Amino acid sequence: MATDIADATDARTAADNSRATEAILLVGGKGTRLRPLTVNTPKPMIPAAGVPFLTHQLARARAAGVEHVVLATSYLAEVFEPYFGDGSALGLSLEYVTESDPLGTGGALRNVVHRLHAGPGDPVLIFNGDILTGLDIPALVATHRRTGADVSLHLTKVPDPRAFGLVPTDPDGRVTAFLEKPQTPEEIVTDQINAGAYVFNRSVIDAIPAGRPVSVERETFPGLLAAGAHLQGMVDSTYWLDLGTPHAFVRGSADLVLGRAPSPAVPGRHGERLVLTGAQVADDAKLSGGTCVAAGAVIGSGARVDGSTVLAGARVEAGAVVKNSLIGVGAEVGARTVLDGVVLGDGAVLGPDNELAPGARVWCGARIGAGAIRFSSDQ
Ligand code: GDD
Ligand code: MG
């Protein structure tokens, strides 16, 4: 009996040590690199595998034991609350705090700190709002507790780290420097990057200056290191993708559909395709590679759609071939038109017999007539 109680206590302690019940999600960025997708919709609200991308992050946080989430919003802030409400549909308590002028990643954290219930020494999870990952969230919290760090960071290795924050660590995993978006070859000291998920002790967020823009990457992390704070890295090799570019967004959505990227929020079974209720797909159309077709979208006879996202009410006409592309809300791809790695903004209309080069972006509402061939190098 005594042993049973001891075992139960150990189990509970282990669970508590790997659990943080509060999270802040940074969702205020302008999503500039995703234009024209982000003209009408903030990046976290663009559907990936049939639901706004943020749904996947919220569902994964909930599955890891998070109960209370504060969304730090700015750009197109008004669209989040009507969709997610109080969060109860996801089993969460959700709050929204809007910056009238963007405060940067650190300023955004400081701006929401009064909404947290955590005590000064309690862990708070923080997530960039555009990361698709299989991160073991409880393992990050457990690392944070075990090492007694002030801040713990999820790290991942990428072949080209230049677009990210570089985070070298010592043999114990302790962070030794933080180099955001290195400019010179000498600064590329590691292939280990900030993967955009952290555990902060609440007191560290309280100490960020209030009322002005602060970059957590350029100011807070280097400042903490200079002051001798303990920043701990946890590197892993799980699925990881920043959905900040059209190419990455389409890839991430397809990986969710295929089941390569883990999320409890994919509305259907994993497979080559996800066709949502209310979509019309011709019997002889071929959908493959994790293609998702949203409600009200129409895929015509003989069309082939591979690794692509077709948003609500869009049309892909007969015989069109669409690969690794994103077709915006209500947009139209004409018959026999060929697209590879293209973004069609909401309401754009491409006539029949076009062929657009990889990386082409067609602006929302633009109209391109029949048969023209266009090239764009803007990737
Ligand atoms: N509330 C608010 N206010 N959120 C913001 C603001 C702001 O002023 N600026 C950016 N964000 C949010 C974005 O919406 C996004 O979810 C997150 O903060 C990170 O911003 P990005 O614009 O996506 O940054 P990044 O991808 O160039 O770099 C960041 O992520 C990399 C990993 O993908 C940095 O954290 C890098 O160090 C990191 O390697
Ligand atoms: Mg990003």
Side-chain angles (χ1 to χ4, degrees):
M1 184 66 176
T3 324
D4 285 355
I5 292 169
D7 286 352
T9 308
D10 283 353
R12 196 171 54 242
T13 309
D16 287 349
N17 275 344
S18 61
R19 189 151 172 247
T21 56
E22 286 195 294
I24 302 170
L25 261 142
L26 293 168
V27 291
K30 288 203 172 119
T32 315
R33 287 171 298 160
L34 268 178
R35 283 185 199 151
L37 292 178
T38 44
V39 172
N40 303 318
T41 312
K43 179 162 56 173
M45 294 301 286
I46 302 171
V51 293
F53 174 67
L54 185 56
T55 319
H56 300 291
Q57 287 187 304
L58 292 173
R60 281 184 47 78
R62 179 71 196 96
V66 171
E67 294 165 358
H68 177 216
V69 175
V70 186
L71 293 185
T73 66
S74 177
Y75 178 66
L76 298 176
E78 64 282 3
V79 305
F80 292 93
E81 192 163 359
Y83 186 88
F84 289 108
D86 65 3
S88 50
L90 288 164
L92 287 165
S93 158
L94 268 186
E95 291 189 71
Y96 307 81
V97 178
T98 301
E99 300 141 48
S100 38
D101 288 314
L103 287 169
T105 46
L109 299 178
R110 180 63 181 82
N111 193 49
V112 307
V113 77
H114 62 287
R115 299 293 184 96
L116 298 175
H117 311 310
D122 290 340
V124 178
L125 281 157
I126 293 162
F127 300 105
N128 283 357
D130 59 352
I131 305 295
L132 180 58
T133 177
L135 166 67
D136 181 344
I137 297 170
L140 184 64
V141 178
T143 298
H144 183 75
R145 300 243 199 215
R146 177 178 51 78
T147 58
D150 300 295
V151 173
S152 299
L153 300 87
H154 177 214
L155 308 179
T156 191
K157 289 177 188 279
V158 292
D160 181 1
R162 285 175 298 174
F164 302 103
L166 271 55
V167 189
T169 48
D170 73 9
D172 298 324
R174 197 164 166 154
V175 175
T176 55
F178 197 104
L179 302 143
E180 182 68 10
K181 316 262 161 68
Q183 300 294 317
T184 61
E186 297 75 55
E187 285 181 308
I188 303 177
V189 293
T190 176
D191 59 354
Q192 218 169 250
I193 62 146
N194 168 22
Y198 323 116
V199 182
F200 272 55
N201 286 342
R202 186 221 156 106
S203 56
V204 179
I205 308 175
D206 284 315
I208 296 172
R212 69 164 172 88
V214 177
S215 160
V216 85
E217 298 87 352
R218 295 181 194 277
E219 182 174 339
T220 309
F221 290 145
L224 284 167
L225 286 170
H230 180 168
L231 272 61
Q232 185 69 28
M234 188 188 88
V235 64
D236 66 20
S237 55
T238 186
Y239 183 97
W240 187 88
L241 197 61
D242 173 330
L243 304 193
T245 63
H247 177 74
F249 199 94
V250 169
R251 182 72 260 148
S253 177
D255 284 344
L256 281 161
V257 172
L258 291 165
R260 289 183 190 153
S263 164
V266 176
R269 283 211 318 263
H270 294 142
E272 284 288 308
R273 71 196 66 84
L274 177 62
V275 178
L276 298 185
T277 311
Q280 287 176 50
V281 179
D283 289 345
D284 60 350
K286 187 167 186 300
L287 307 180
S288 57
T291 287
C292 181
V293 183
V298 177
I299 310 290
S301 176
R304 283 184 284 142
V305 188
D306 180 46
S308 296
T309 300
V310 181
L311 295 183
R315 299 184 68 89
V316 176
E317 301 291 354
V321 179
V322 177
K323 201 174 174 202
N324 301 333
S325 295
L326 202 147
I327 312 302
V329 175
E332 292 181 28
V333 180
R336 298 170 303 279
T337 280
V338 177
L339 304 180
D340 185 353
V342 168
V343 178
L344 221 53
D346 296 344
V349 177
L350 266 179
D353 302 307
N354 279 291
E355 182 171 350
L356 264 61
R361 302 179 189 207
V362 180
W363 208 253
C364 301
R367 303 183 84 85
I368 294 177
I373 295 178
R374 321 254 149 169
F375 294 98
S376 162
S377 56
D378 177 22
Q379 178 71 294

